[in-house]
Amino acid sequence: MSDTDSRQQEQHELQVVRIGHANGSSSDNPSLDTTPKLSKRNSSERSLPLRSYSKWSPVEQGATLVWRDLCVYTNVGSGRGMKRIINNSTGAVQPGSLMALMGASGSGKTTLMSTLGYRQPAGTVVQGDILINGRRVGPFMHRISGYVYQDDLFIGALTVLEHLNFMAHLRLDRRVSREERRLIIKELLERTGLLSASHTRIGNGDDEKVLSGGERKRLAFAVELLNNPVILFCDEPTTGLDSYSAQQLVATLHELAQKGTTILCTIHQPSSQLFDNFNNVMLLADGRVAFTGSPQHALSFFADHGYYCPEAYNPADFLIGVLATDPGYEQASQRSAQHLCDQFAVSSAAKQRDMLVNLEIHMAQSGNFPYDTELDSFRGVAWYKRFHVVWLRATLTLLRDPTIQWMRFLQKMAMAFIIGACFAGTTELTQLGVQAVQGTLFIMISENTYHPMYSVLNVFPQGFPLFMRETRSGLYSTAQYYVANILAMLPGMIIEPLLFVVICYWLTGLRATFYAFSITAICVVLVMNVATACGCFFSTAFNSVPLAMAYLVPLDYIIMITSGIFIKISSLPAAFYWTQFISWMLYANEAMTIAQWSGVENITCFGESADLPCFHTGQDVLDKYSFEESNLYRNLLAIVGIYFGFHVLGYYFLWRRARKI
């Protein structure tokens, strides 16, 4: 490095110290000799030495986030092209800072913060420079930063402790021992005031004992603090909280900032007490920066340009009101807001900000030090452990939600008794008995097709927002999520049809051989699983349940018509002959019919005539429906093939949707 670069580096280090004093985040004597020892990665304490460019280490030295000439465009859809949300924004946040992003609704607060945190939606176009300690932001931001969203998404069936435990397994270094993980969770519960509610279920609002809004927000903070992030993004953390809970939450943020964490949060209409806790504020108007600096300087800047805050008036409401668009005076409001943005762009505060930003970018371009040393030291959880955590969480959800599993068991058993009672004593080896047997088989197949198919249409759409948030954070992959949820449902998909067959088969008096019962049970289990796979495919392929049902109903008719009970398969028109190959009801019906009539030679016939021929043997019954006895195992393999085919399609469409959003 040249002498000029060395002098610039020394000046920058001194500047960092001075700004740290201004923010109240550094000690009175910033000498290297008095720098305390660095704490461990997962500790809540972080002491910051002087900024050095010998290595890239935001964990040791704190996170300095800068951005210059940032423009963000989003797709407005319907072929209307791109819309610019952020317009040439420039800013900087240093370690120990608690910065508030403020502005009227639609000013671009959330878009700016999600872009800085590398969590912008898919399809967003970003132009400009965003650097953290001299490195361009990238996927590593999910590892070193935390992001608290405005809407809290949880699985209501879990308790607070279970949720934190699952998140700790997915987020922490795999070398963290079980005891260390337990201590980390306990410390977070104490810091966030959730220790007394650790065994309370999170709930979804319909339960009797659930977490309050403030407790849910604190739980969201606890999750993001698990890996001790160097920079924390909070999207309107006080929304929906009472004044006391909001004050406590912002006090916690202030406490974290004093320990060296860089905190950036959007906030909407804070009280004057909350506003005083922020040592920096950035005001936005139509995507442009109207001011950056301390809250006191913001009021002075607005006063210098003719906007005086009345006494005993909330300064935050005043600043946002000046930049907001008044209904009926849109053009005048926008002109005044843009005038303030223009005035700030040439102010001394903007020049001081630009000096820091440009110096950071220059040192990043001229410096030569390894970036990945700190990131490479992290060891993520093995893929099979991630899969186990996701599977265990899905299994607990199924077991604790009676509407998903236990009620289905009761319903299936009740239907088995009803069907058995209706067909009891009718399945004899007579001409009428042939019709009764075929009717019983069709009812058993249809009962395990339609209800399971439609009952899972809401499984993936319901959990899609949480799935998107966690996969974009790198907690698990789409394949792990999909397979884990299918395997969580699998035990129920086996036990439920088996209970149904055991009750229904013997009540209806079907063929009393182990071979016939076994084939029937296997077919019914496969039918329920393939119907569930079909429902999963449609639930991932369409954005809503009504839309999925609209496309699923025509397929249901095709599957039912080609089941072999309504029309002789060999008589299908040539244009629709292919439909039989996707009908698992046909494969199951043929296999179960073979099991019932194979080897039967003594079907009773009374009054046979040319107009009404009789069935004398089981082979006559098979010929009636164009069934072949040799197709038994082919049918079973075909159902298995359709099962995996639907799941492959379901995974593909879930992966495709995840990429688009």
Side-chain angles (χ1 to χ4, degrees):
M1 187 179 293
S2 64
D3 294 339
T4 303
D5 291 339
S6 299
R7 287 194 297 272
Q8 288 175 336
Q9 176 177 333
E10 293 174 358
Q11 293 172 357
H12 178 61
E13 290 179 350
L14 291 175
Q15 185 177 4
V16 170
V17 173
R18 293 192 190 100
I19 295 176
H21 276 296
N23 292 335
S25 59
S26 59
S27 60
D28 294 336
N29 185 10
S31 173
L32 290 175
D33 295 336
T34 60
T35 301
K37 295 182 180 180
L38 298 176
S39 57
K40 293 183 178 180
R41 177 71 181 89
N42 287 314
S43 172
S44 61
E45 301 289 340
R46 183 185 293 112
S47 50
L48 302 176
L50 290 177
R51 174 75 179 279
S52 171
Y53 284 88
S54 60
K55 62 178 179 178
W56 187 82
S57 183
V59 173
E60 293 183 3
Q61 302 169 2
T64 300
L65 180 69
V66 300
W67 61 99
R68 183 177 66 179
D69 300 333
L70 183 64
C71 294
V72 181
Y73 302 84
T74 60
N75 193 346
V76 295
S78 302
R80 291 181 291 174
M82 306 295 289
K83 178 183 178 181
R84 183 168 61 182
I85 305 299
I86 302 300
N87 184 4
N88 290 317
S89 173
T90 300
V93 191
Q94 292 186 298
S97 296
L98 177 57
M99 174 178 279
L101 283 178
M102 296 175 56
S105 298
S107 59
K109 304 184 297 296
T110 299
T111 300
L112 175 60
M113 192 173 69
S114 63
T115 304
L116 296 177
Y118 201 75
R119 289 168 173 86
Q120 67 272 18
T124 303
V125 177
V126 179
Q127 296 177 346
D129 301 311
I130 309 175
L131 294 90
I132 181 167
N133 284 27
R135 177 178 184 172
R136 291 188 179 276
V137 296
F140 67 89
M141 289 293 290
H142 294 289
R143 185 178 302 168
I144 68 171
S145 67
Y147 198 102
V148 181
Y149 292 85
Q150 179 180 353
D151 51 332
D152 307 317
L153 297 178
F154 301 106
I155 297 179
L158 302 179
T159 66
V160 171
L161 186 60
E162 288 171 342
H163 180 70
L164 282 175
N165 195 35
F166 284 138
M167 290 296 103
H169 277 86
L170 294 173
R171 290 172 176 264
L172 296 180
D173 194 295
R174 64 188 179 196
R175 293 168 294 186
V176 176
S177 66
R178 177 181 298 182
E179 182 62 22
E180 290 175 326
R181 188 164 54 244
R182 188 187 66 82
L183 292 176
I184 292 171
I185 293 174
K186 183 180 179 182
E187 179 192 0
L188 284 174
L189 289 173
E190 292 175 348
R191 290 174 60 191
T192 55
L194 292 173
L195 192 60
S196 60
S198 59
H199 296 288
T200 302
R201 290 193 185 181
I202 300 172
N204 294 316
D206 298 330
D207 304 327
E208 294 182 0
K209 187 177 181 182
V210 297
L211 296 184
S212 64
E215 289 172 328
R216 291 171 67 92
K217 186 66 69 176
R218 281 182 276 161
L219 178 58
F221 270 96
V223 171
E224 296 304 320
L225 295 177
L226 271 170
N227 55 345
N228 194 24
V230 296
I231 182 168
L232 184 63
F233 300 93
C234 307
D235 189 5
E236 300 197 13
T238 60
T239 300
L241 301 182
D242 58 79
S243 58
Y244 177 78
S245 298
Q247 185 67 34
Q248 292 294 107
L249 194 147
V250 174
T252 302
L253 292 178
H254 191 269
E255 201 176 298
L256 286 171
Q258 288 182 326
K259 295 176 180 177
T261 305
T262 305
I263 302 178
L264 183 67
C265 65
T266 63
I267 193 162
H268 189 66
Q269 292 183 329
S271 65
S272 52
Q273 285 183 323
L274 293 183
F275 191 60
D276 289 339
N277 284 318
F278 294 94
N279 45 33
N280 278 296
V281 61
M282 174 178 281
L283 300 174
L284 297 178
D286 292 329
R288 295 186 63 190
V289 178
F291 180 80
T292 300
S294 67
Q296 295 75 18
H297 290 162
L299 294 174
S300 301
F301 173 79
F302 275 60
D304 292 341
H305 293 86
Y307 299 96
Y308 298 94
C309 180
E311 293 186 10
Y313 195 86
N314 186 347
D317 289 341
F318 168 75
L319 296 173
I320 295 175
V322 172
L323 300 175
T325 300
D326 293 332
Y329 302 92
E330 287 83 1
Q331 293 184 354
S333 300
Q334 291 173 358
R335 282 197 300 268
S336 62
Q338 293 303 315
H339 175 71
L340 283 173
C341 295
D342 295 335
Q343 292 297 317
F344 176 74
V346 296
S347 66
S348 58
K351 293 178 181 178
Q352 183 179 3
R353 174 206 62 187
D354 293 341
M355 185 182 303
L356 173 60
V357 172
N358 293 334
L359 183 59
E360 280 284 325
I361 294 177
H362 171 72
M363 296 304 295
Q365 294 172 346
S366 59
N368 184 18
F369 51 90
Y371 280 121
D372 297 325
T373 303
E374 182 169 304
L375 294 178
D376 289 342
S377 64
F378 182 84
R379 295 291 181 267
V381 182
W383 68 269
Y384 60 89
K385 289 187 177 180
R386 293 180 186 272
F387 173 79
H388 178 262
V389 170
V390 179
W391 168 81
L392 183 59
R393 188 175 67 172
T395 302
L396 283 177
T397 303
L398 288 174
L399 292 176
R400 290 177 179 174
D401 192 340
T403 61
I404 295 179
Q405 202 65 65
W406 302 113
M407 291 300 295
R408 288 182 54 172
F409 284 168
L410 295 176
Q411 181 190 36
K412 191 64 67 177
M413 293 170 65
M415 289 302 301
F417 279 109
I418 294 173
I419 296 171
C422 291
F423 285 93
T426 63
T427 57
E428 300 175 347
L429 292 180
T430 63
Q431 302 305 304
L432 294 178
V434 172
Q435 182 179 356
V437 169
Q438 295 306 116
T440 301
L441 298 182
F442 176 76
I443 291 297
M444 293 175 72
I445 294 172
S446 59
E447 169 61 25
N448 289 278
T449 292
Y450 297 113
H451 181 264
M453 185 190 303
Y454 286 95
S455 65
V456 297
L457 285 180
N458 198 37
V459 170
F460 287 101
Q462 187 178 25
F464 190 75
L466 181 61
F467 157 73
M468 280 301 305
R469 183 173 295 182
E470 293 180 341
T471 50
R472 288 171 65 181
S473 298
L475 299 185
Y476 48 78
S477 66
T478 304
Q480 290 170 330
Y481 175 79
Y482 187 87
V483 176
N485 277 272
I486 298 304
L487 290 183
M489 291 188 291
L490 189 58
M493 295 295 106
I494 295 175
I495 298 173
E496 185 179 335
L498 281 179
L499 288 174
F500 175 84
V501 172
V502 168
I503 298 172
C504 185
Y505 192 91
W506 301 111
L507 284 179
T508 54
L510 293 176
R511 193 175 185 182
T513 64
F514 180 76
Y515 170 78
F517 172 77
S518 300
I519 295 298
T520 303
I522 292 173
C523 287
V524 172
V525 170
L526 289 177
V527 163
M528 175 171 281
N529 279 271
V530 75
T532 303
C534 179
C536 290
F537 158 54
F538 275 84
S539 71
T540 59
F542 299 97
N543 296 328
S544 65
V545 174
L547 188 61
M549 292 179 65
Y551 284 91
L552 186 56
V553 170
L555 177 65
D556 289 345
Y557 279 106
I558 294 174
I559 300 300
M560 182 175 61
I561 292 172
T562 58
S563 63
I565 195 73
F566 298 105
I567 187 172
K568 195 171 183 178
I569 298 302
S570 59
S571 64
L572 279 172
F576 295 96
Y577 193 76
W578 61 271
T579 57
Q580 62 177 304
F581 299 109
I582 63 171
S583 176
W584 65 85
M585 294 183 74
L586 170 62
Y587 294 126
N589 191 22
E590 183 174 11
M592 293 165 67
T593 301
I594 293 170
Q596 292 299 316
W597 298 111
S598 176
V600 175
E601 301 290 344
N602 56 342
I603 302 178
T604 304
C605 179
F606 298 101
E608 182 176 9
S609 65
D611 296 330
L612 188 62
C614 284
F615 300 110
H616 295 282
T617 65
Q619 187 61 46
D620 294 340
V621 179
L622 297 179
D623 293 339
K624 168 68 175 178
Y625 296 102
S626 300
F627 292 162
E628 294 288 341
E629 192 171 345
S630 59
N631 291 341
L632 175 61
Y633 296 105
R634 187 207 69 169
N635 292 330
L636 298 179
L637 291 176
I639 299 176
V640 173
I642 296 175
Y643 170 80
F644 284 107
F646 275 132
H647 277 315
V648 169
L649 289 173
Y651 162 72
Y652 168 74
F653 279 98
L654 182 63
W655 170 81
R656 191 165 172 261
R657 285 183 63 189
R659 288 189 60 192
K660 287 184 177 181
I661 299 179

